[in-house]
Amino acid sequence: MAPQSPSIQSFFQPETSTAQPAVTNRDENGNEFNTTKLKAFLYSTPNAWKPRIQYNDIQIAKIVPGPRCVHLVARVVNLYDQPSSTSKLPHPAKRCLNVLVREDSGMIKVKLWYLKVDYQLRLGQLVSIWTTLISSADTSKIVSITIHNAACTIDIFPERDSSCYFMVQADHGDGTLAKTPLACSRDKQLPSLMTLMSFVDGGHDTTPTAKVLLCVKSIGGRKKFTTKKGEVVDVVNVMIFDDTCDATLALYGRLAKSAADWKASDTILLLSNPGFRSDKKPTLSINSNTYVDVDPSMGEAEWLRTFAQRLTTREVVNVPFPEGGMQEPSSAYIVRENPSGQEHPPSNSKIAQVGTFTDETGAISSGKLIFSADAWEQLLGRSAEELAKCDGQLLKYLENRILFLRLTLLFGWSDKVGRLCVCGVQTH
């Protein structure tokens, strides 16, 4: 009998499967279900998206329309829902969320289509975007000249196209990534930046690119509001202020959730081209042409935060003189003194007895100054203990003596108390 030819299976070792067989069970109604597939569904991680192709990191200012695989990191500066009545909804998209994102080089609008995923976005969040196509925007509908790179938009539908993705990521490092305002530099002031008082008094009409830097004063509760179209949306009124006046910032719809992360007397908002109406109290709003920088990285924002926190600090009866390095001496004149006739030893709480200091460049109220014990003695010619023993006639003499007296003050700024501190006085 002729030998049989070996089969192809004889050249391969049989493989033993290590996977556990799927267990099929029945529920109380007799319906079968697979426990393996059930666990995969219950414990799936839909956010664990990994790019399958190479994406190039790009800045917004260098984006041009066309097919290309790019990745960018930016911050949310505005967001609003696109009206559901539009006929351009791609099947089977449910809604479209317009997200305006910004980084240090520019700003661009992202049209984020969704079906089941409800994106809980907030102003100031850091986001990463992957896309394979940059679309051309309809520039005829753009009415704001504040939108940088308005000729391009990013149009993505992550639930349908696995090559694009939109992800909110946590801040890392010092948290200043993409927080420098556009056109901001240390050498000059931010263009079109004005005080809240100037904006309310007419700056909102005369300056189309008006910017106001504000601090959060208080945050109201969330309420329901019915729009002109009959839709019921959330609204949160945020009290805002600067060193000139205060107003109300109304947050509607999706923007209302952003206030949950803000802190009174700490959060700084840079509003560019905000909406304005004046009822009983000035009210600002965020429209489609507004963008908001939360806690921008700029010197004016740090100054306003320090100013706001100083207002919440309770006045100390006797502010202690801080020890530390002092700056160069500066000459000044006492031009006015508030007569009080009080027979108390001089303390830092009685600094208002001195009056106003002035020189060739300006003036400063004495209430802003803190004198050391040596400075008091050099100014009045006697110590606090000696002054406490003086009668009213001698105090009146000292009052007349220091009026219009030429002085040289040695002073320095203290970050601890936020005031100028005088450590030495020389009379002429």
Side-chain angles (χ1 to χ4, degrees):
M1 183 177 180
Q4 296 180 353
S5 299
S7 62
I8 189 66
Q9 288 82 2
S10 62
F11 291 95
F12 299 93
Q13 295 294 332
E15 295 182 358
T16 303
S17 176
T18 58
Q20 298 180 357
V23 181
T24 302
N25 297 327
R26 295 179 181 272
D27 59 12
E28 58 183 5
N29 297 325
N31 299 322
E32 294 184 356
F33 62 93
N34 190 304
T35 56
T36 304
K37 294 182 178 180
L38 180 61
K39 290 181 179 181
F41 173 79
L42 293 176
Y43 302 105
S44 60
T45 55
N47 293 330
W49 180 85
K50 294 182 179 180
R52 297 179 297 177
I53 54 180
Q54 183 68 30
Y55 292 83
N56 297 321
D57 296 334
I58 192 172
Q59 292 183 335
I60 294 179
K62 298 181 179 179
I63 292 179
V64 294
R68 50 184 45 85
C69 300
V70 294
H71 164 249
L72 61 94
V73 178
R75 290 194 182 271
V76 178
V77 293
N78 197 353
L79 65 152
Y80 55 94
D81 285 301
Q82 182 169 308
S84 57
S85 59
T86 178
S87 60
K88 297 182 179 180
L89 287 172
H91 182 75
K94 179 182 178 182
R95 296 290 294 271
C96 177
L97 181 61
N98 292 307
V99 185
L100 198 62
V101 298
R102 183 196 67 78
E103 36 99 301
D104 295 341
S105 70
M107 185 162 38
I108 194 170
K109 180 171 35 173
V110 180
K111 301 183 71 174
L112 182 58
W113 305 92
Y114 64 93
L115 178 61
K116 297 180 180 179
V117 179
D118 188 11
Y119 294 92
Q120 301 294 327
L121 300 181
R122 298 179 181 181
L123 294 173
Q125 284 183 326
L126 192 67
V127 297
S128 290
I129 304 168
W130 291 265
T131 185
T132 58
L133 177 65
I134 305 298
S135 305
S136 298
D138 186 1
T139 56
S140 62
K141 296 182 179 180
I142 298 176
V143 297
S144 174
I145 62 177
T146 63
I147 305 300
H148 293 248
N149 207 347
C152 300
T153 59
I154 298 177
D155 205 325
I156 57 176
F157 191 0
E159 294 178 72
R160 186 177 182 182
D161 185 1
S162 60
S163 63
C164 59
Y165 199 67
F166 188 98
M167 181 182 69
V168 178
Q169 64 182 56
D171 277 322
H172 50 81
D174 56 358
T176 60
L177 180 62
K179 280 196 172 184
T180 302
L182 297 175
C184 180
S185 64
R186 296 185 178 181
D187 300 334
K188 57 182 179 179
Q189 186 180 6
L190 189 66
S192 302
L193 181 63
M194 62 181 65
T195 64
L196 181 57
M197 180 66 74
S198 300
F199 181 82
V200 172
D201 288 344
H204 59 280
D205 284 333
T206 59
T207 308
T209 59
K211 300 179 180 66
V212 284
L213 189 66
L214 305 165
C215 182
V216 174
K217 186 175 184 179
S218 63
I219 303 173
R222 186 178 301 181
K223 302 178 181 178
K224 296 297 182 179
F225 176 79
T226 304
T227 64
K228 295 180 180 179
K229 297 182 180 180
E231 299 179 357
V232 180
V233 298
D234 294 332
V235 58
V236 173
N237 291 324
V238 180
M239 295 297 298
I240 50 178
F241 73 101
D242 64 359
D243 59 327
T244 60
C245 67
D246 57 359
T248 301
L249 175 63
L251 302 177
Y252 295 94
R254 289 184 176 269
L255 294 172
K257 298 179 180 179
S258 300
D261 298 331
W262 298 349
K263 298 179 181 179
S265 301
D266 184 75
T267 301
I268 305 297
L269 306 175
L270 177 61
L271 303 181
S272 301
N273 196 28
F276 175 78
R277 73 175 187 272
S278 181
D279 298 330
K280 296 181 180 179
K281 191 171 185 180
T283 301
L284 280 66
S285 60
I286 301 175
N287 51 45
S288 60
N289 295 320
T290 306
Y291 58 95
V292 183
D293 292 297
V294 181
D295 290 329
S297 180
M298 54 188 300
E300 293 86 346
E302 294 299 327
W303 180 90
L304 182 57
R305 182 180 291 108
T306 303
F307 171 79
Q309 293 176 354
R310 195 184 309 155
L311 295 178
T312 62
T313 304
R314 187 175 180 178
E315 283 292 333
V316 182
V317 174
N318 189 8
V319 181
F321 183 84
E323 299 295 336
M326 294 298 168
Q327 301 178 5
E328 297 180 358
S330 174
S331 61
Y333 299 89
I334 297 181
V335 297
R336 184 177 61 86
E337 188 262 342
N338 299 326
S340 60
Q342 297 179 1
E343 300 184 9
H344 296 286
S347 65
N348 294 328
S349 63
K350 301 301 180 183
I351 189 65
Q353 295 178 7
V354 175
T356 302
F357 291 93
T358 183
D359 64 2
E360 295 83 357
T361 62
I364 183 173
S365 171
S366 62
K368 304 295 184 181
L369 303 176
I370 299 178
F371 278 63
S372 66
D374 293 339
W376 268 118
E377 187 171 351
Q378 294 167 4
L379 175 64
L380 301 176
R382 48 188 48 79
S383 64
E385 292 76 11
E386 295 173 344
L387 189 64
K389 300 177 181 179
C390 296
D391 55 12
Q393 184 178 0
L394 182 56
L395 293 176
K396 188 66 177 179
Y397 163 76
L398 293 176
E399 176 183 326
N400 295 329
R401 175 181 174 273
I402 64 176
L403 187 62
F404 297 106
L405 182 65
R406 180 180 175 86
L407 303 171
T408 298
L409 304 181
L410 184 66
F411 63 90
W413 175 263
S414 173
D415 292 331
K416 296 181 181 179
V417 296
R419 293 185 183 180
L420 289 175
C421 302
V422 180
C423 62
V425 178
Q426 181 180 0
T427 59
H428 299 277

